[in-house]
Amino acid sequence: CKHVVYRTLNMPVLQITTNLSKAKIPDDFLQEASAVFQVAIGKPMQFVQVIVEPDVLMSFGGSTDPCASITITSVGKLGVEENKAISKVIYDLLDTKLGIPDNRAYIAFFDKPKSEVGYKHTTFHEITKS
């Protein structure tokens, strides 16, 4: 799947890019995805950002059947075991709410240093003084 990242990333971010039409995204999907992601990553809801980018021209394995490309960016709370647990809940969410099976999406994880994530006119490095 082709994946385009062009938005400013905060902490943590779940970005779902999909070829599904906007009409096929349930009205409550952002709220549900935010809640599921917040529990999975263990960060305060006030910092959770979910981006859904529908209607993207994309294919997976040469097919234009429903597919997605997911990016998860966070300052910490990512690693071998954490990523497995997060993958499970995100793939479950995609399958049950969007009808995208686990063999039609990739998830890329990005653990960013505090100095590389801006918030409130500064960075998390400055805010947390570490």
Side-chain angles (χ1 to χ4, degrees):
C1 287
K2 183 181 175 196
H3 182 69
V4 179
V5 176
Y6 60 87
R7 290 181 168 73
T8 303
L9 298 177
N10 295 320
M11 192 273 315
V13 178
L14 168 63
Q15 182 171 353
I16 302 169
T17 304
T18 180
N19 61 351
L20 287 180
S21 69
K22 184 178 178 184
K24 292 190 177 182
I25 308 295
D27 291 340
D28 65 345
F29 185 76
L30 286 174
Q31 290 78 15
E32 186 162 352
S34 294
V36 166
F37 182 49
Q38 186 272 325
V39 169
I41 201 155
K43 296 271 190 155
M45 182 59 83
Q46 72 188 49
F47 296 114
V48 171
Q49 184 178 49
V50 175
I51 301 166
V52 178
E53 205 171 7
D55 297 310
V56 174
L57 295 175
M58 62 191 306
S59 67
F60 192 105
S63 165
T64 58
D65 289 345
C67 65
S69 179
I70 299 100
T71 302
I72 294 175
T73 305
S74 183
V75 174
K77 300 284 189 166
L78 297 177
V80 174
E81 295 306 315
E82 294 88 347
N83 295 357
K84 285 191 241 180
I86 294 167
S87 290
K88 181 180 181 346
V89 299
I90 298 303
Y91 280 119
D92 287 348
L93 181 74
L94 290 177
D95 186 31
T96 60
K97 296 299 177 182
L98 302 181
I100 299 174
D102 62 359
N103 66 343
R104 302 280 305 152
Y106 289 125
I107 301 175
F109 294 90
F110 297 96
D111 191 355
K112 301 297 285 182
K114 291 178 183 181
S115 62
E116 292 183 13
V117 180
Y119 183 67
K120 291 188 172 183
H121 293 89
T122 188
T123 64
F124 276 102
H125 181 268
E126 181 66 22
I127 291 168
T128 63
K129 301 290 186 195
S130 61

